[in-house]
């Protein structure tokens, strides 16, 4: 007769599997860990960084990862230390769940009314105290299983009640099934918890009630992250609907679910714009560049491939914010009358999109508007943003003295390939360049471009393409791409970076590029837009002088206040070239660049291009060189206007330009990096009551209001060697960004914090 299985010190005996004490508990803990990991990826991809609750959800994910990792360790081998770590981590997870529940339910993260901030501080301190007291009791007083279980159950019951009530109220308000998910998840958890209370001996010595409890929490965890994403997106959508849409440098950009009506109205404006400009082709690009996959955007492209004329941004905003169909029609008719547009004038619109999953749906909204206005249109499908700008310019200049090229995607590749060959003139590339395409449209388009270039065996550039998966939309810009590299000062997580090798990253729609490498000591080195601008200006300046045109062609650089001070000093003192500073925004940079014979502009984020004036192009075409050296320099100069996409910043074009320059100079990334040393810099975000009180002038480098603030900043800057700092109001949120530079990292941080304190005090005034 078999003896009954009995517990020892409250624990069941188990049969080990490969040395693992409780194998099923380990396996099911791993499933929970993976559920938290995948949930964390969803939170990061689907919820923008600006959303105030995002940081609480990310912390929840990390605590879950730690908790379930320690659970796996404990169930692998039950020692005193592993048990304590498991219990303490589980307690932290349960208490953190209680901590962030009222923050979400009662929106304690809101800055108004101000009492909420006081409540949040008190609640944070209280929860921290409770956890410290809990751990201290179990560690210093007595290890009490009954107390630990009771404490966790009590905390769990409170948060379950909170979420159940919230779920009912939320569902009654929204009438959407997902709003009821928290209540259903709570019910699932309660049922699974019964396994902890209705204990039984391990089946086959391995599968016990506790392990099944772990299995029972996997589904709710996956479900819970889906709810957090849905809830955040609904919250964001509600806030966006309360606010007005604003057409800016990037056009309209927001969560894709809000864009359908906006895209339709942009289509109406595109038709009006084409008719107003005597049937010239107008472009519409559907993209959100470096934004998360859940976002999308739409912007207009003017006839010469430039951004929409500034005055028309107002009309786009008016149309987008018309609250009803009748008022939309009224705005449309008023614009038609104000501009004396004849409806029988032909309208032509060309459009394209990036790889986002919402793109085809938004194209349908655009087409509906174009058909409603009797507009002829051409759908170019998937293109990079710069490719659409190129095609628009080609279409509108075809058959004129300013013909830009063949208005097709193939024509784009052929033009770049031909000009690359002319610019290289037998120069040899050094090694290969690895290009991270952000899992966006730049991936397939770069691969297509490579088909038109000489292969490495023929002496061509060896381009290795990575992160070009466009079949999984959620991977777009995820831990890769130019914005990720620039912001995090590190290579994409999937990259294996070899010392001194060249790497570049594009953004989601391939209009930005940054370079980087790891030096011999293993230190990451970023070669951003400032570096690309100085490299290009140095090269072009040398060519102009070598061609004998130094007195006839003026080369200049355009920067914003965010350009590193060391780059500005290098241009003015070493390259002896003029620098102009403009307000932030490509439209300001591009306009200023056209004032030079050859204007170079790149934002630090890697977006930029080079503009050649019409007079310069004529001079290059007619100039007769006086020596072989001048002839060689002139040939390269003549190739550059075709290699560079002058319509707009173009990552593919800029990639080839950088490689040409490095080949001519015989440089690798380390030589490029040695041209100057960046000053340490820091960017600090300061929340304020009303960003509109911060008025800037002098290309956003100084504040004219609030009164007295600029004087305080100037006084602080004067105390630091190489000190420079400015404050600029955000264009989208009640926040001010403080930029600071100084001779050392510690001084930079000190200056940034002191200026931020001045701004915070000024911004807190009622």
């Amino acid at each position: 007769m078999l003896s009954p299985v009995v517990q020892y010190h409250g624990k069941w005996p188990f049969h080990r599997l490969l040395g693992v004490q409780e194998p099923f508990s380990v396996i099911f803990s791993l499933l929970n860990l993976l559920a938290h990991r995948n949930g964390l990826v969803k939170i990061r991809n689907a919820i923008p960084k600006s959303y105030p609750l995002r940081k609480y959800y990310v912390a929840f994910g990390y605590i879950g990862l730690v908790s379930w990792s320690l659970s796996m360790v404990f169930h692998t081998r039950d020692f005193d230390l592993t048990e304590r770590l498991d219990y303490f981590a589980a307690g932290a997870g349960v208490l953190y769940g209680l901590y962030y529940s009222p923050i979400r339910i009662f929106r304690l993260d809101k800055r108004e009314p101000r009492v909420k901030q006081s409540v949040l501080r008190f609640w944070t301190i209280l929860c921290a105290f409770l956890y410290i007291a809990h751990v201290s009791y179990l560690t210093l007083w007595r290890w009490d299983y009954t107390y630990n279980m009771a404490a966790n159950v009590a905390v769990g019951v409170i948060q379950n009640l909170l979420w159940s009530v919230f779920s009912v109220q939320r569902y009654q308000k929204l009438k959407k099934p997902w709003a009821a998910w928290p209540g259903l998840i709570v019910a699932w958890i309660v049922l699974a918890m019964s396994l902890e209370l209705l204990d039984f001996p391990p089946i086959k010595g391995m599968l016990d009630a506790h392990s099944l409890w772990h299995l029972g929490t996997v589904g709710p965890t996956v479900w819970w992250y889906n709810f957090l994403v849905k809830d955040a997106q609904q919250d964001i959508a509600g806030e966006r609907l309360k606010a007005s849409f604003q057409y800016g440098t990037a056009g309209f950009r927001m969560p894709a679910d809000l864009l359908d009506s906006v895209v339709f109205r942009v289509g109406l404006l595109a038709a009006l714009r084409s008719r107003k400009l005597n049937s010239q082709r107008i472009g519409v690009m559907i993209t959100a560049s470096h934004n998360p996959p859940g976002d999308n955007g739409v912007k207009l492209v003017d006839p010469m491939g430039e951004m929409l004329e500034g005055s028309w941004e107002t009309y786009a905003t008016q149309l987008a914010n018309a609250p009803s169909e009748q008022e939309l029609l009224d705005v449309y008719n008023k614009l038609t009358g104000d501009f004396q547009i004849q409806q029988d004038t032909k309208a032509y619109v060309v459009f394209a999109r990036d790889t986002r999953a919402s793109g085809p749906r938004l194209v349908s909204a655009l087409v509906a508007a174009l058909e409603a206005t009797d507009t002829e249109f051409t759908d170019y499908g998937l293109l990079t943003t710069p490719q659409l700008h190129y095609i628009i310019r080609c279409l509108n200049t075809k058959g004129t003295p300013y013909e830009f090229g063949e208005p097709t995607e193939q024509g784009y590749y052929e033009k770049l390939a031909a000009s690359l060959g002319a610019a290289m003139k037998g120069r040899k590339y050094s090694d290969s360049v690895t290009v991270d395409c952000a899992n966006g449209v730049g991936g397939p388009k770069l691969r297509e471009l490579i088909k038109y270039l000489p292969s490495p065996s023929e002496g061509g550039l060896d381009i290795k393409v990575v992160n070009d998966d466009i079949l999984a939309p959620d991977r777009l810009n995820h831990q890769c791409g130019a914005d990720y590299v620039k912001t995090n000062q590190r290579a994409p997580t999937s990259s294996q970076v070899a010392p001194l090798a060249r790497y570049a990253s594009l953004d989601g729609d391939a209009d930005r590029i940054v370079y980087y490498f790891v030096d011999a000591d293993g230190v990451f080195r970023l070669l951003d837009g400032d570096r690309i601008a100085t490299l290009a200006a140095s090269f072009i300046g040398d060519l102009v002088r070598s061609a004998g045109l130094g007195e006839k062609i003026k080369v200049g650089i355009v920067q914003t206040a965010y350009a590193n001070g060391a780059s500005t000093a290098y241009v003015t003192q070493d390259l002896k070239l003029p620098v102009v500073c403009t307000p932030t925004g490509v439209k300001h940079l591009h306009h200023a660049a056209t004032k030079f014979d050859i204007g170079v502009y790149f934002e630090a984020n890697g977006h930029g291009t080079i503009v050649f004036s019409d007079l310069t192009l004529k001079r290059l075409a007619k100039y007769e060189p006086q020596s072989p050296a001048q002839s060689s320099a002139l040939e390269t100069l003549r190739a550059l206007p075709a290699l560079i996409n002058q319509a707009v910043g173009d990552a593919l074009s800029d990639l080839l330009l950088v490689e040409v320059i490095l080949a001519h100079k015989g440089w690798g990334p380390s030589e490029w990096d040695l041209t100057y040393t960046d000053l340490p810099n820091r960017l600090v975000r300061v929340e304020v009551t009303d960003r509109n009180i911060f008025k800037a002038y002098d290309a956003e480098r100084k504040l004219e209001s609030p009164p007295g603030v600029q004087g305080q900043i100037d006084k602080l800057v004067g105390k630091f060697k190489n000190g420079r700092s400015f404050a600029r109001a955000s264009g989208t949120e009640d926040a001010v960004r403080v930029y600071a530079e100084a001779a050392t990292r510690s001084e930079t941080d000190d200056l940034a914090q002191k200026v931020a304190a001045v701004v915070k005090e000024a911004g807190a005034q009622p």
Side-chain angles (χ1 to χ4, degrees):
M1 181 176 179
L2 293 175
S3 301
V5 179
V6 296
Q7 292 180 312
Y8 295 87
H9 301 286
K11 299 181 180 181
W12 295 110
F14 284 86
H15 296 308
R16 290 184 181 178
L17 179 65
L18 301 176
V20 176
Q21 192 165 312
E22 299 177 45
F24 281 100
S25 286
V26 172
I27 292 170
F28 298 152
S29 293
L30 174 61
L31 293 180
N32 277 281
L33 183 145
L34 293 175
H36 278 281
R37 178 184 176 278
N38 291 337
L40 198 53
V41 170
K42 285 183 179 179
I43 293 294
R44 284 174 164 166
N45 282 345
I47 302 178
K49 292 180 181 179
S50 59
Y51 184 61
L53 289 172
R54 185 180 189 265
K55 61 184 177 183
Y56 297 104
Y57 299 162
V58 169
F60 170 71
Y62 279 120
I63 290 173
L65 293 178
V66 172
S67 177
W68 288 106
S69 296
L70 291 174
S71 174
M72 291 169 60
V73 172
F74 167 59
H75 290 301
T76 298
R77 283 300 177 89
D78 181 354
F79 297 123
D80 183 62
L81 176 62
T82 60
E83 182 179 50
R84 288 174 182 268
L85 290 175
D86 176 44
Y87 278 41
F88 293 158
V94 173
L95 187 58
Y96 186 80
L98 177 62
Y99 170 66
Y100 83 81
S101 294
I103 294 176
R104 166 58 191 97
I105 292 170
F106 303 114
R107 292 313 301 262
L108 299 181
D109 59 299
K110 296 280 189 180
R111 298 172 63 240
E112 297 294 338
R114 292 194 176 186
V115 68
K116 286 193 173 185
Q117 291 299 294
S118 299
V119 173
L120 177 58
R121 283 191 289 270
F122 172 77
W123 179 238
T124 301
I125 293 170
L126 177 61
C127 287
F129 170 78
L130 290 175
Y131 182 69
I132 293 171
H134 173 72
V135 172
S136 299
Y137 175 79
L138 291 174
T139 304
L140 303 176
W141 188 253
R142 60 179 296 195
W143 185 254
D144 189 333
Y145 291 103
T146 302
Y147 156 75
N148 183 71
M149 175 64 77
N152 280 279
V153 169
V155 171
V157 167
I158 293 172
Q159 62 179 295
N160 285 347
L161 287 173
L162 286 171
W163 283 111
S164 296
V165 173
F166 173 80
S167 179
V168 172
Q169 294 176 340
R170 190 76 163 154
Y171 178 75
Q172 289 175 340
K173 180 180 179 181
L174 298 177
K175 303 298 183 184
K176 294 183 178 181
W178 64 263
W181 289 357
L184 298 174
I185 293 170
V186 165
W188 186 334
I189 291 290
V190 170
L191 287 174
M193 176 63 90
S194 65
L195 290 166
E196 285 283 80
L197 304 176
L198 305 174
D199 202 5
F200 57 82
I203 300 172
K204 301 294 184 180
M206 289 190 286
L207 183 64
D208 69 327
H210 183 70
S211 66
L212 290 175
W213 151 244
H214 286 342
L215 176 62
T217 58
V218 176
T221 300
V222 174
W223 200 359
W224 185 251
Y225 278 105
N226 288 334
F227 164 73
L228 292 179
V229 169
K230 283 277 190 184
D231 183 57
Q233 290 175 338
Q234 173 68 31
D235 190 30
I236 293 168
E239 291 298 318
R240 293 285 178 91
L241 289 173
K242 292 176 188 175
S244 61
F245 299 114
Q246 183 71 41
Y247 192 102
T249 300
F252 293 112
R253 193 174 292 180
M254 62 195 76
D257 291 344
L258 302 179
L259 262 175
D260 296 73
S261 68
V262 175
V263 171
F264 178 86
R265 296 164 187 223
V266 167
L268 299 181
L269 189 68
L272 284 175
R273 183 72 175 154
S274 178
R275 289 190 168 99
K276 170 62 179 173
L277 299 178
N278 300 316
S279 303
Q280 292 191 80
R281 269 71 172 177
I282 297 297
V284 178
M285 185 69 198
I286 297 175
T287 180
S289 186
H290 57 279
N291 280 37
D295 286 359
N296 214 325
V298 59
K299 60 182 177 181
L300 290 166
V301 181
D302 259 0
M304 290 301 288
E306 71 272 46
M307 292 184 298
L308 178 66
E309 181 187 313
S311 63
W312 279 66
E313 293 180 4
T314 302
Y315 311 137
T317 300
Q318 290 174 0
L319 284 167
N321 288 292
S324 67
E325 290 184 5
Q326 183 57 52
E327 288 174 273
L328 173 61
L329 184 60
D330 291 343
V331 174
Y332 181 83
N333 288 335
K334 185 177 186 303
L335 292 175
T336 302
D338 289 348
F339 289 112
Q340 299 179 342
I341 295 172
Q342 300 299 318
Q343 289 297 335
D344 57 355
T345 302
K346 286 287 188 181
Y348 299 94
V349 171
V350 173
F351 59 86
R353 61 182 177 87
D354 68 10
T355 56
R356 293 168 191 270
S358 57
R361 189 189 81 242
L362 297 177
V363 163
S364 297
L366 175 63
V367 168
L370 299 179
E371 290 177 341
T373 53
D374 195 25
T375 300
E376 293 189 21
F377 59 85
T378 304
D379 180 359
Y380 275 82
L382 294 178
L383 288 180
T384 69
T385 295
Q387 285 178 329
L388 181 68
H389 283 255
Y390 163 85
I391 287 172
I392 291 296
R393 186 160 177 171
C394 290
L395 287 169
N396 288 303
T397 58
K398 192 171 182 63
T400 74
Y402 306 101
E403 191 162 325
F404 198 60
E406 183 64 28
T408 63
E409 185 179 346
Q410 180 178 342
Y412 170 87
Y413 299 131
E414 290 175 343
K415 181 179 179 180
L416 287 183
S419 57
L420 177 66
M424 281 300 292
K425 292 191 326 179
R427 297 295 201 286
K428 292 185 178 180
Y429 301 101
S430 62
D431 303 321
S432 62
V433 58
T434 300
V435 183
D436 150 40
C437 296
N439 293 315
V441 68
K445 301 309 179 185
L446 178 55
R447 288 195 181 278
E448 190 65 25
L449 172 61
I450 291 172
K451 296 177 183 177
Y452 291 81
L453 306 179
S455 67
S457 62
E458 298 169 325
L461 178 61
D462 186 7
I463 302 174
K464 301 183 184 302
V465 180
V466 298
N467 293 328
D468 62 335
D469 180 5
I470 63 170
L471 299 179
D474 287 347
R475 297 188 65 183
L476 175 66
N477 296 318
H478 177 58
Q479 296 185 342
C480 60
D483 188 63
Y484 175 85
V485 172
K486 170 69 175 171
T487 302
N488 294 280
Q489 298 285 302
R490 58 166 293 173
T493 55
S494 60
S495 298
Q496 300 294 324
V497 181
L500 302 180
R502 294 195 308 287
Y503 296 85
S505 283
L506 320 180
D507 69 338
D509 65 339
D511 66 354
R512 298 186 192 179
I513 184 170
V514 295
Y515 270 73
Y516 49 93
F517 72 105
V518 171
D519 66 18
D521 297 322
V523 178
F524 177 84
R525 301 285 186 182
L526 178 67
L527 300 164
D528 62 7
D530 290 343
R531 295 278 182 176
I532 296 173
T534 55
L535 179 73
S538 169
F539 179 62
I540 292 172
D542 287 344
L543 287 176
V544 168
R545 286 188 290 271
S546 297
L549 291 166
E551 299 299 320
K552 296 181 179 180
I553 295 178
K554 183 180 180 182
V555 181
I557 286 188
V558 186
Q559 295 182 325
T560 69
Y562 289 105
N564 194 280
S567 72
T568 308
Y570 172 68
V571 174
T572 56
Q573 297 171 18
D574 293 76
L575 301 183
K576 308 296 183 185
L577 295 175
V579 174
V580 171
C581 188
T582 73
T584 302
V586 174
K587 60 185 177 184
H588 300 297
L589 290 157
H590 192 92
H591 178 72
T594 61
K595 304 299 183 183
F596 291 105
D597 295 323
I598 301 178
V600 180
Y601 74 86
F602 278 84
E603 294 181 291
N605 61 25
H607 186 281
T609 189
I610 301 167
V611 181
F612 293 74
S613 71
D614 291 337
L615 180 59
T616 298
L617 293 176
K618 291 176 182 176
R619 280 180 174 156
L620 292 178
K622 294 180 179 179
Y623 182 69
E624 293 291 338
Q626 305 300 308
S627 69
Q630 287 189 0
S631 178
S632 176
L634 184 63
E635 286 180 30
T636 304
L637 264 177
R638 286 173 173 167
L640 294 184
L643 179 64
I644 297 162
N645 188 345
Q646 297 180 61
V648 70
D650 184 340
L652 302 187
S653 165
D654 294 337
L655 169 73
L656 299 183
L657 173 66
V658 169
E659 292 301 321
V660 165
I661 297 173
L662 294 179
H664 273 261
K665 288 181 173 290
W667 284 2
S670 56
E671 289 83 5
W672 181 8
D673 187 52
L674 289 173
T675 50
Y676 63 87
T677 302
D678 277 324
L679 287 169
N681 59 88
R682 186 172 179 195
L683 188 63
V684 178
R685 179 180 175 275
V686 181
E687 291 188 357
V688 295
T689 304
D690 180 8
R691 69 181 184 274
N692 296 310
I693 67 173
F694 291 86
K695 304 293 185 184
Y697 70 103
D698 188 21
E700 300 177 330
R701 291 177 289 188
K702 294 184 181 296
L703 288 174
E704 62 180 12
S705 69
V709 172
Q710 187 58 50
Q712 295 180 64
I713 294 175
D714 291 341
K715 189 176 293 186
L716 288 170
V717 168
K719 297 178 181 179
F720 293 85
K721 181 181 179 181
N722 294 333
R724 184 170 76 93
S725 184
F726 64 90
R728 174 179 176 267
S730 168
T732 57
E733 56 183 338
D734 281 326
V736 173
R737 288 174 173 79
V738 171
Y739 179 88
E741 290 177 0
T744 66
R745 170 55 61 189
S746 61
E747 288 179 308
T748 299
D749 292 343
D750 190 20
L751 176 59
Q753 292 303 326
K754 288 179 176 177
V755 174
V758 169
V759 170
K760 189 174 183 65
E761 182 179 358
Q765 301 301 319

